[in-house]
Amino acid sequence: MQFFGGSDISPSPPAPTAPGNNAHMIYVFNRNGVCLLYKEWNRPLHTLNAQQDHKLMFGLLFSLKSLTAKMDPTSAEKGNLGVPQLPGQGCSFHSFRTNTYKLSFMETPSGIKIILVTHPKTGDLRDFLKYIYNLYVEYVVKNPLYTPGTPVSCELFNTALDQYVRSIA
Amino acid sequence: MGREVSESCIDSLLTEMVSSYCNRFYANKPELAARRIEAIGYQVGHQLSERYTMERPRFSDHLEAIKFICKDFWSELFKKQIDNLKTNHRGTFVLQDNRFRWLARMSLDPTAEEGVPQDPAALAESKAAQAMSMYLYFPCGIIRGALSNLGIPCAVSADISNLPACSFVVRIKA
């Protein structure tokens, strides 16, 4: 399956699914749980301080992934609940929806997790998340001035991401 | 010539080259690191110009050679031509590329300029500018090597006052 495209950013990102999607926040974590990027566009309620918020989000997704993999009725082998899994092992959880928001998730083989919280009427955002990962690879990973494992603060990435998310919102 | 190499591979190789020379081989001696990187570029430019001028007749004068660098040589290396060429007709040429491929993905850390303004900000900016300028010694060396193989000894320097455009200043030795 051709997951990651060529070295140029794919020239035509997928068209927005419906008008009026509102992106609320985005988190990007690496495999060690370091929050590489947190950006919010529309978040009326802040309940925790930033560090606890990131830890909670990472923990939530770690547990959800583990739980969905263990409950998978089609897979033959199951380890014990709570055993950490390699990225890509087990089934891949990709979104959950409540009455006020929808959370979409994508994990890459290198352990980079991208989480996007949007309006509940949003459709399937997997292609959008792939495009965001493409942006990450182009502007962050290939930036010689960026040290891997530290929070991302590359101007080009931030502006490109902002522009793209606003265009799908 | 049908053999190709991945562009990401070249980008990563160049990044690592500059990083090795600046941080490991000649740590704390940026001028020496810059000289070595430029020398590598010189060898590369020398060999590349040999290969890309195989079918062509000799160049009649300096301007023709510079035009070759701007059009054919740059297209072979970067898939585009130089956008703007200026000269003072006395041996100095300025080659401007409005979107230099090897710098296209580099961006600075904007938070390094917050906090106490003026002096620390200028310092942080010049450190970032210095880091970026290390990546320009290689292309300067390539241009110098290519021109010297065509019989034109020169000195090449780069200017990144407005990113992502990049200018290379070629001064021909009289």
Side-chain angles (χ1 to χ4, degrees), chain A residues 138 142-144 153-156, chain B residues 8 15 104-105 107 109-110 135:
Chain A
E138 292 294 313
K142 288 190 180 178
N143 183 1
S153 49
C154 308
E155 273 185 72
L156 280 178
Chain B
S8 305
T15 308
R105 299 194 177 95
S107 50
D109 182 351
Y135 293 91

Side-chain angles (χ1 to χ4, degrees), chain B residues 121-140:
Chain B
L123 191 63
E125 218 179 85
S126 74
K127 270 206 280 197
Q130 198 185 32
M132 294 186 91
S133 65
M134 291 312 267
Y135 293 91
L136 289 168
Y137 288 111
F138 188 67
C140 287

